[in-house]
Amino acid sequence: MKKILTLITFTLASFGISNAQDCDLPGLYSGNTGANMTVMLTPGVMGSLPATDADAYMVALSSDGLIIGSASVGNTSQTTIAVWGDDASTTEVVDGALAAESISFQLVNGTSLYDVVMPTTVSYTTNGLVVQAAPATVTLVDCSTVVEEVCPLPSSDVVNTGSNMTIMLTPALVASLNTSSDDAYLVAFTSEGNVVGSEVVGNVSQTSLAVWGDDSSTPEIDGALAGESISFQLVDGTSLFDVVMPVSVSFTANGMSVQAAPSTVTIVDCSSASEDVLGCMDATANNFDAAANVDDASCTYDVLGCMDATANNFDAAANVDDASCTYDVLGCMDATANNFDAAANVDDASCTYDVLGCMDATANNFDAAANVDDASCTYDVLGCMDATAFNYNELANTDDGSCIAVVNGCMDVTAFNYNELANTEDESCVSVVEGCMDATASNYNELANTVGESCIYGTPIEYQLSAGWNMVGYTGTAVNNGIVAQMDAALGNGVGTANTFQVIKNVSGQFWSAAFAQISTFNQGQGYMMYVNGATTTVNFQQTSGYISGIEYALSAGWNMVAFTGDVDAENNIVSSMDAALGNAASTANTFQVIKNVSGQFWSAAFAQISTFNPGQAYMMYVNGSTTTVNFQQE
């Protein structure tokens, strides 16, 4: 029986058993998925590493062997590794660690490779921090015991029979093959094991494969038969892999099969003798077994029909309900009735009919049996009978003491002197003039009688956005008209929010995108993760309203994403700025465990990679204690 090992397991094995001079050394990590955690390497753990080479570096690996972070450890006494998480906006590929995934580490020192077991285990948590304070356990990886069994590789030679079908191999499928050789090729087989097609898939993004059919003009079978199931294998250097397509392929002359999703790839282990694998070999069956090489007649199939035993047409042999059930439908079958049911096939004597009459119990001629009012009701007419009153009723025949005196005034709700008590317009209305009414502001309007545009006092904050992930603070007014409108007005590139951003996320992971939005407005003083699709641009939420002063923002225990809203000319040192801005008077060191920027660089009381804030930029801040407030602009 062939032993099938997953490609991922094979890859990890190459890391687990290595010889220093023979190992495939992992490279440095290059990327930014927009989410990470920090692993702090203190002098305690650094001193335990055999990093004798100045260029020595450490890599972080996911449980699938994916490199998700790296840092130089040569000639340094302490450092940090940013471990990058999976980017949820790229659903077609896993490009980082998953939540709670176990992280392992290796050291590359010159041509030597070491497994490194940290003193504190690391499980991935976005924005988390793990401090490694004690020595690590370091083991040299020995690759000298690797023994490769070479499989008999299928030839790429194919007979042109004059009849074929086309298998379209899209970028998603080609990427899933994960080829290492430019000469790697994919072969197609019939159920009898005959090669009926091949195509080079190394160093290409997409291609197509011709599957050749049997030539009916020759007596021998030299191609696929009509309806025959086609299987596939990948030859990559000296390695052989079984490939299961996302859409099963049955041969159809001149047909086309588009393979738009990733395939399932497993390496073929030829180290033991081949054995029969019994199972269902029909790819159209419910229990198709891709590993089987001997059909044991166990295939099962869908039987469509009505599976409801209470239905008129119940089918006891059906195993898939096809929504064909029919039933008795009770209801009123009289088309003249109020509740006539056109779907009913059995009359249940439930019909109801209109009874015309006066249905107002206060009327003189109320009819208790009526269910449809025919406007025949008659009444005493109560009302104000004073012709000088505001609410005089000329139809009233009985005065009910409800008369209201006339009150003259401006009745235009949009006017500056609108009188909500007035009931008679006297044409005294004065128009509203909006503007800044603070004489100390640069845009003061002496004609204004109503606060309109925001007064301008300081220098607006303009902040540069780069392609990819940015962490941006919202420094605009607290009363805003939505994410799209605020961003459209603030952007410097003039192309609009939808064309600039792939996604905008808050600290809770809720997001806005052009296709779907969980959030629609900004919170003043809060920070947001923004992924820019195109080139560098600028953002200035204050370009039309000037400097917004007095922004105060609540910080909760745990993680917050906070905008630095200080003036562009203000003191930007992290510690002094935070000490002055905090509402708890407990100081920065006693309030925060860590403060990080979008690149994963951080400040903490013990160790700092950054020391100043950038106006307009947002920062991830982990609050140790209880809720407090921050106001970088307080007097």
Side-chain angles (χ1 to χ4, degrees), residues 28-47:
L28 291 168
Y29 175 81
S30 175
N32 183 337
T33 64
N36 64 32
M37 72 177 293
T38 300
V39 179
M40 182 177 291
L41 306 180
T42 67
V45 70
M46 292 293 289

Side-chain angles (χ1 to χ4, degrees), residues 31 50 83 92 145 158 194 212 259 277 387 411 432 576 579 582 601:
V83 178
E92 71 276 5
T145 60
V158 180
N194 295 324
W212 296 93
Q259 303 295 335
V277 179
M411 298 180 65
V432 169
S576 58
D579 284 351
L582 283 170
Q601 297 173 307

Side-chain angles (χ1 to χ4, degrees), residues 162-395:
S163 172
N164 64 28
M165 73 177 292
T166 300
I167 312 299
M168 182 72 71
L169 307 179
T170 67
L173 185 132
V174 173
S176 71
L177 298 178
N178 196 26
T179 60
S180 59
S181 170
D182 289 350
D183 298 323
Y185 59 93
L186 193 68
V187 292
F189 296 90
T190 65
S191 57
E192 298 297 325
N194 295 324
V195 176
V196 290
S198 71
E199 184 63 30
V200 174
V201 292
N203 198 26
V204 298
S205 61
Q206 67 178 25
T207 186
S208 62
L209 186 153
V211 177
W212 296 93
D214 180 47
D215 184 357
S216 59
S217 65
T218 59
E220 69 273 14
I221 296 176
D222 52 6
L225 302 177
E228 186 171 16
S229 179
I230 306 300
S231 59
F232 301 84
Q233 285 190 319
L234 170 67
V235 177
D236 191 3
T238 60
S239 299
L240 181 64
F241 302 85
D242 284 329
V243 178
V244 178
M245 294 294 183
V247 178
S248 60
V249 178
S250 296
F251 181 78
T252 303
N254 299 320
M256 175 179 286
S257 175
V258 178
Q259 303 295 335
S263 63
T264 301
V265 182
T266 53
I267 191 166
V268 179
D269 181 9
C270 300
S271 60
S272 61
S274 176
E275 297 180 9
D276 289 342
V277 179
L278 301 180
C280 173
M281 297 181 65
D282 186 350
T284 66
N286 293 334
N287 59 331
F288 168 64
D289 185 354
N293 55 32
V294 177
D295 197 299
D296 62 358
S298 64
C299 298
T300 61
Y301 303 86
D302 290 341
V303 179
L304 303 180
C306 173
M307 297 180 65
D308 187 348
T310 66
N312 295 335
N313 59 331
F314 169 64
D315 184 354
N319 57 28
V320 176
D321 197 298
D322 62 357
S324 65
C325 298
T326 60
Y327 306 86
D328 288 338
V329 181
L330 303 179
C332 173
M333 298 181 65
D334 185 352
T336 66
N338 291 334
N339 59 331
F340 168 64
D341 185 354
N345 54 32
V346 177
D347 196 298
D348 61 357
S350 64
C351 297
T352 59
Y353 303 86
D354 289 343
V355 178
L356 302 179
C358 174
M359 297 179 66
D360 187 348
T362 66
N364 297 332
N365 58 333
F366 169 64
D367 182 356
N371 57 26
V372 176
D373 197 297
D374 61 358
S376 64
C377 299
T378 60
Y379 308 85
D380 290 334
V381 181
L382 304 177
C384 174
M385 298 180 65
D386 182 354
T388 66
F390 171 72
N391 61 330
Y392 167 64
N393 184 358
E394 62 182 6
L395 300 177

Side-chain angles (χ1 to χ4, degrees), residues 376-435:
S376 64
C377 299
T378 60
Y379 308 85
D380 290 334
V381 181
L382 304 177
C384 174
M385 298 180 65
D386 182 354
T388 66
F390 171 72
N391 61 330
Y392 167 64
N393 184 358
E394 62 182 6
L395 300 177
N397 54 32
T398 301
D399 196 300
D400 61 359
S402 64
C403 294
I404 300 173
V406 171
V407 178
N408 293 316
C410 174
M411 298 180 65
D412 183 355
V413 295
T414 65
F416 174 71
N417 61 330
Y418 165 65
N419 183 358
E420 64 181 6
L421 300 177
N423 55 32
T424 303
E425 178 64 59
D426 63 358
E427 299 184 356
S428 64
C429 295
V430 176
S431 297
V432 169
V433 179
E434 295 184 343

Side-chain angles (χ1 to χ4, degrees), residues 452-578:
E453 65 179 311
S454 299
C455 296
I456 300 175
Y457 298 94
T459 304
I461 297 172
E462 182 172 277
Y463 176 60
Q464 181 168 294
L465 302 183
S466 61
W469 282 107
N470 301 263
M471 193 148 50
V472 179
Y474 177 65
T475 58
T477 176
V479 180
N480 65 75
N481 54 359
I483 287 176
V484 174
Q486 293 300 106
M487 288 305 310
D488 283 352
L491 283 170
N493 60 7
V495 301
T497 304
N499 292 323
T500 301
F501 298 99
Q502 182 182 112
V503 68
I504 297 175
K505 297 193 293 186
N506 64 16
V507 71
S508 300
Q510 296 173 308
F511 71 96
W512 170 93
S513 72
F516 178 78
Q518 294 175 311
I519 55 173
S520 58
T521 58
F522 288 121
N523 289 331
Q524 191 180 34
Q526 188 166 329
Y528 294 83
M529 294 295 299
M530 300 184 181
Y531 191 95
V532 175
N533 291 315
T536 298
T537 184
T538 59
V539 63
N540 182 352
F541 292 107
Q542 303 162 353
Q543 63 186 0
T544 59
S545 58
Y547 187 71
I548 305 300
S549 63
I551 298 175
E552 184 173 278
Y553 176 58
L555 302 182
S556 60
W559 282 109
N560 302 261
M561 189 148 47
V562 180
F564 179 66
T565 56
D567 194 353
V568 294
D569 300 319
E571 167 64 41
N572 296 342
N573 178 268
I574 287 178
V575 175
S576 58
S577 294
M578 288 304 309

Side-chain angles (χ1 to χ4, degrees), residues 69-80:
S70 64
S72 176
V73 294
N75 290 340
T76 182
S77 61
Q78 69 178 23
T79 187
T80 60

